[in-house]
Amino acid sequence: MPMDWVESGGGPLLAAPASQLARWEGATDDEGPEETWGDYGRACAIDGYIGLVGIGGGQGLVLGDEPATTTYLPDERLFVRWAAADSESDLVDAARHAVHGVEWQEELDWDVDGAVVLFDSAWPGATPEPGNHLNIDLSPGRYRVRAACERDDRNWMILVQLQPVS
């Protein structure tokens, strides 16, 4: 069964708390320097695979580095970011295998109050691009977010995993 994927127009993707979604304004001005691009500029300023950005009373998780098409595997609590692969099924299978032995390169803690929405950070949260966002059901709490770039002979992906912190 084909999976749902979120694509970027060239910048980072954002997993924003559903409760704070309307507070994300997206790109307010993309003609001037990055710091004038509004919330989108703040997401673009994140250096690395992952980072946090304030949204209202919460935090959004920025998926940075590459504007890679991304899906979410709920059983593994894993964002899979497609850099290169022959097929969706090959990439997803490789990601499910790789997550057990990958050397994580970045980590941070992220507090969420429940469900989040993954979308292109250039769009306003109140109206994410139709057909290009994912609703992700998360339990409220703190998560350890780990990220790594992983390659094998046929697939290249960025993995971002959420682990509940007790």
Side-chain angles (χ1 to χ4, degrees), residues 2-78:
M3 303 187 73
D4 291 326
W5 294 81
V6 176
E7 296 182 0
S8 162
L13 296 178
L14 178 70
S19 66
Q20 301 296 317
L21 205 54
R23 294 177 166 231
W24 185 262
E25 295 182 3
T28 53
D29 174 17
D30 62 2
E31 298 299 318
E34 186 174 286
E35 54 272 3
T36 67
W37 295 352
D39 288 340
Y40 175 68
R42 293 188 306 121
C44 289
I46 297 296
D47 188 31
Y49 297 126
I50 52 176
L52 298 176
V53 62
I55 305 173
Q59 296 177 312
L61 176 66
V62 175
L63 303 181
D65 188 58
E66 293 283 330
T69 302
T70 302
T71 195
Y72 183 75
L73 307 178
D75 291 343
E76 292 83 3
R77 286 187 304 277
L78 183 69

Side-chain angles (χ1 to χ4, degrees), residues 50 99 104 106-107 144-148 159-163:
I50 52 176
V99 74
W104 300 103
E106 296 179 26
E107 286 190 10
R144 169 72 35 89
V145 182
R146 313 183 300 175
L159 303 175
V160 178
Q161 187 177 45
L162 310 177
Q163 293 188 306

Side-chain angles (χ1 to χ4, degrees), residues 67-135:
T69 302
T70 302
T71 195
Y72 183 75
L73 307 178
D75 291 343
E76 292 83 3
R77 286 187 304 277
L78 183 69
F79 291 102
V80 178
R81 313 200 63 219
W82 188 330
D86 290 334
S87 73
E88 173 184 289
S89 62
D90 287 350
L91 182 69
V92 170
D93 289 346
R96 286 187 166 128
H97 177 74
V99 74
H100 299 290
V102 69
E103 289 189 35
W104 300 103
Q105 298 161 324
E106 296 179 26
E107 286 190 10
L108 57 79
D109 286 342
W110 181 34
D111 294 311
V112 298
D113 61 3
V116 299
V117 179
L118 180 70
F119 63 102
D120 184 339
S121 63
W123 282 76
T127 55
E129 186 177 10
N132 193 37
H133 61 278
L134 290 177
N135 296 312

